[in-house]
Structure formats: structure tokens, C-alpha cells
Amino acid sequence: MFVITLTHDHINVLQQFLLSNKLETAMWLSRLFTVYCSIMFILPLLGPQAATNFYQRALLANALTSALRLHQRLPHFQLSRAFLAQALQEDSCHYLLYSLILVNSYPITMSIFPVFLFSLLHATTYTKKVLDTMGPNSLMFVRNFLNKLTANQQNILKFIACNEIFLMPATVFMLFSGQGSLLQPFIYYRFLTLRYTSRRNPYCRTLFTELRILLEHFVMKPSCPAFFRRMCLNSIAFISRLAPTGV
């Protein structure tokens, strides 16, 4: 059992720190709420209906975080094509669109992992700052967990990219199974192209390349049936034509 002892001075310092960084604090709280709702969806302890509600809350909280982050990155809004083009280059804009695309869709676990893990990763730095205001040795078990998250950041980002990629065929499957809308695959494809061309996060683009190389290596083996090889190579060629150019 962990006991947290905070003096009145600690509370005042923490309060001043949080209030002096209102935007960062708001994003931190919304990210923590996203993490909480995501966990409650992944582990449906309160039943399937409650899990669906938590799914929507997680995506809405992520949309709020993304909107705040986008405002932080581009504080001066302009109703122009140049501003829109600049906004579409921001990862926060990508995940604002992601949340809006999926918030009313049939809830699947694959779609919640990116917002869950991004919120967890992005909350790490600010959580460390909050812990530092409480004392250099406060909540060491939380600090150790955050350090492990940071150490595995690259693997987590690759896992997120994997979810982003495989959600594309999932939206098509949901359409044919009657659980998705006709427009969703096309809108999600637009999101995926934005992730592919992301300047700050190359993992989606990198993973596409790695998957293509892996599949090509597999189908070129003599033991691979000719019809399967031809089908895979045609699929690779088709997907390559859909990829944005000039990246």
C-alpha cells in the first residue's frame, strides 16, 4: 500500500504549477481521461453498453486534446487554404480527424489503441513534471512505469502505426458486414495518407515499407504457390499506386 504525504506547501506549489500552465494542464487531464476511458473500454467491467460509452468518451476526449494541441501549434486561426494546408500537416489535426471519423462507428479495440497509447505517451513528460513538484522521490513506482514507457517509445509508436494501417481493411470489412458506413473507408483512407506523409512521425510510412519488403520476401520463396504470389504482388502494386507521391 502506497501512502502519499503532501504538505500544505507541496499542495500550493502543485496548484501554482498547474494553474501557471493552464493549456498544458488541460491537455494532460484530457489525456489522462482518455487513458481511463480506453482502459474501461478494453476491460468492459461495467458491461458492453458502458464499454461503448467509454469508447465514445475516449475518442471525444482525444478530439479535445488534439484540438487544444492544434491550437497550441497554430494559435492564429485563418480561414484560408494556406492555413488548412498547414493544419493538415500537424499530427494533432490527424488525430482530431481520426476521432471524428470513428466516434460514431462500431467500437473495435483496434481503433482505440492509437488514442490510448498516444495519450499515455504524451502524458508522460507532464506527469514527470507534476511528480517533480511533489518531490524528487515522490511515487517512485509511477516514475519507474513512466521510464519504461519512454524506453519502449519506439516499439509503441510502431504498434500504433500497425493499428493505423490495419484499420483500413477493417473499415472495409465493417462496411460489408453492415457495421460501417459507405463513406468511412474513403475518409479513413484520407487520414491514412496524412499519417503516411507525416513529417514528425515517420512510423506509418516506415511500417508500410517494412511490410512490403517482408511480404515480397515471403512470396518470392519457391514454396509459395504461384497464384498466391501473383495475388500478393498485384495487391502490393495496387496499394503502392494509392500511396501519396513526393514523400
Side-chain angles (χ1 to χ4, degrees):
M1 182 177 179
F2 297 94
V3 179
I4 304 173
T5 304
L6 290 178
T7 65
H8 185 67
D9 290 338
H10 282 138
I11 295 174
N12 285 337
V13 171
L14 179 60
Q15 185 177 14
Q16 289 175 4
F17 173 76
L18 295 176
L19 292 177
S20 63
N21 303 278
K22 292 180 181 178
L23 185 59
E24 290 285 349
T25 300
M27 288 192 292
W28 178 62
L29 292 174
S30 63
R31 282 166 178 156
L32 292 181
F33 185 69
T34 303
V35 170
Y36 166 72
C37 291
S38 300
I39 292 173
M40 294 302 292
F41 168 71
I42 296 169
L43 304 174
L45 303 176
L46 302 179
Q49 183 58 46
T52 301
N53 293 334
F54 280 117
Y55 172 84
Q56 292 180 327
R57 290 171 189 170
L59 288 171
L60 288 173
N62 183 72
L64 173 62
T65 307
S66 300
L68 291 173
R69 178 60 177 159
L70 186 61
H71 172 70
Q72 187 182 47
R73 294 278 299 171
L74 302 173
H76 305 295
F77 175 78
Q78 297 175 3
L79 195 61
S80 65
R81 290 182 62 183
F83 180 84
L84 179 60
Q86 189 178 4
L88 288 175
Q89 293 178 351
E90 296 292 333
D91 288 1
S92 52
C93 182
H94 302 170
Y95 266 86
L96 176 59
L97 293 174
Y98 179 90
S99 299
L100 297 178
I101 291 168
L102 296 173
V103 67
N104 289 318
S105 68
Y106 183 81
I108 56 175
T109 306
M110 188 188 298
S111 61
I112 210 69
F113 272 125
V115 299
F116 167 56
L117 293 173
F118 266 132
S119 296
L120 198 60
L121 283 176
H122 290 158
T124 299
T125 303
Y126 199 74
T127 303
K128 288 180 179 179
K129 292 179 181 179
V130 171
L131 292 176
D132 288 339
T133 63
M134 297 167 60
N137 297 317
S138 58
L139 297 177
M140 288 305 298
F141 71 100
V142 177
R143 291 178 184 272
N144 291 334
F145 173 71
L146 296 178
N147 290 334
K148 288 181 180 179
L149 273 181
T150 304
N152 290 282
Q153 179 173 323
Q154 188 173 4
N155 292 330
I156 293 172
L157 290 173
K158 282 187 175 182
F159 180 72
I160 292 171
C162 187
N163 277 265
E164 292 172 348
I165 292 170
F166 286 103
L167 261 174
M168 183 69 248
T171 59
V172 177
F173 176 78
M174 288 166 62
L175 172 63
F176 287 109
S177 64
Q179 296 173 332
S181 67
L182 181 62
L183 292 176
Q184 191 176 55
F186 298 98
I187 300 173
Y188 189 82
Y189 165 72
R190 177 55 179 158
F191 162 79
L192 198 57
T193 59
L194 292 173
R195 298 304 294 154
Y196 188 88
T197 57
S198 174
R199 296 176 302 176
R200 302 183 66 192
N201 189 334
Y203 289 96
C204 184
R205 185 165 61 252
T206 302
L207 199 61
F208 261 117
T209 303
E210 290 178 356
L211 289 172
R212 177 178 59 81
I213 293 172
L214 183 66
L215 187 57
E216 286 177 343
H217 175 73
F218 174 76
V219 299
M220 288 305 174
K221 291 182 177 180
S223 58
C224 181
F227 80 93
F228 184 73
R229 180 187 300 118
R230 187 165 53 252
M231 182 180 68
C232 289
L233 292 177
N234 288 337
S235 298
I236 291 172
F238 173 72
I239 294 171
S240 297
R241 287 195 297 270
L242 293 176
T245 57
V247 180

